[in-house]
Amino acid sequence: MNDHARSAGRRWVGFALALTLVLSLGLAGYDQVASAQADLPPLAQKMEIINDGYKNLRRAARSGAFDEETLSDVTKMQAATLEAKSLEPPMAAKLTGDAKAKMLNGYRKVMAKLLSELGALEVALRDSNVEAVKEHVTNLALIKKEGHDAFIEE
């Protein structure tokens, strides 16, 4: 084997080791994120999925670049919203009777509004209506504020 072949072989081995290290560190980080999310209460897990999707939507709206990943984010947000709608926010645990029923009704109405807006957003995405998509992303921000103001304790 000549020097050139040996050198190329060493570079390949070095590259393979570096790639293995990077991938293992990346996957370890992914496991930590998944583990941290699993430690959250169910409602917080759903809200994190919704919030992550919302952040991605805002970025896409700024650039005007929507793709299959954008639709995937919306689908994940819809599923998480539907699941979160049936859960109780932590504030509800402190209430009883009519006060609790009223609070849960208000919470579920906001979640239904979010689900409706996500449906309209999906239609706009599928129609490639960029201006409508941007409007729906703005509406999501308003719904988020409404829900957080009413149902998250400071």
Side-chain angles (χ1 to χ4, degrees):
M1 183 181 280
N2 64 29
D3 289 338
H4 180 70
R6 242 179 300 203
S7 177
R10 285 189 202 120
R11 280 194 305 265
W12 174 250
V13 169
F15 173 76
L17 288 172
L19 182 61
T20 303
L21 178 64
V22 167
L23 288 175
S24 66
L25 289 175
L27 292 175
Y30 176 78
D31 288 344
Q32 290 173 346
V33 170
S35 175
Q37 190 177 29
D39 293 340
L40 294 173
L43 181 58
Q45 290 176 19
K46 303 306 173 205
M47 292 300 176
E48 195 166 289
I49 292 167
I50 295 166
N51 196 48
D52 288 348
Y54 172 69
K55 288 177 191 175
N56 293 340
L57 284 170
R58 280 192 1 226
R59 272 187 237 112
R62 278 194 299 270
S63 70
F66 305 104
D67 54 17
E68 289 300 315
E69 189 173 332
T70 309
L71 276 170
S72 176
D73 284 336
V74 172
T75 300
K76 290 174 190 172
M77 292 171 72
Q78 289 169 331
T81 300
L82 194 55
E83 291 178 44
K85 186 175 169 240
S86 68
L87 300 173
E88 290 187 2
M91 287 176 63
K94 300 175 183 174
L95 302 173
T96 59
D98 288 342
K100 183 172 185 170
K102 183 178 178 184
M103 192 268 233
L104 288 174
N105 187 52
Y107 167 74
R108 292 196 171 110
K109 283 172 44 178
V110 171
M111 296 306 289
K113 189 186 296 187
L114 175 59
L115 195 55
S116 175
E117 193 66 36
L118 288 168
L121 171 62
E122 180 181 359
V123 170
L125 281 167
R126 292 186 183 283
D127 287 342
S128 300
N129 186 339
V130 173
E131 290 309 311
V133 170
K134 289 180 179 183
E135 184 179 322
H136 290 300
V137 171
T138 299
N139 292 344
L140 290 177
L142 298 173
I143 295 168
K144 179 180 178 179
K145 180 174 176 12
E146 177 185 355
H148 287 188
D149 287 351
F151 306 109
I152 292 181
E153 295 177 312
E154 292 182 28

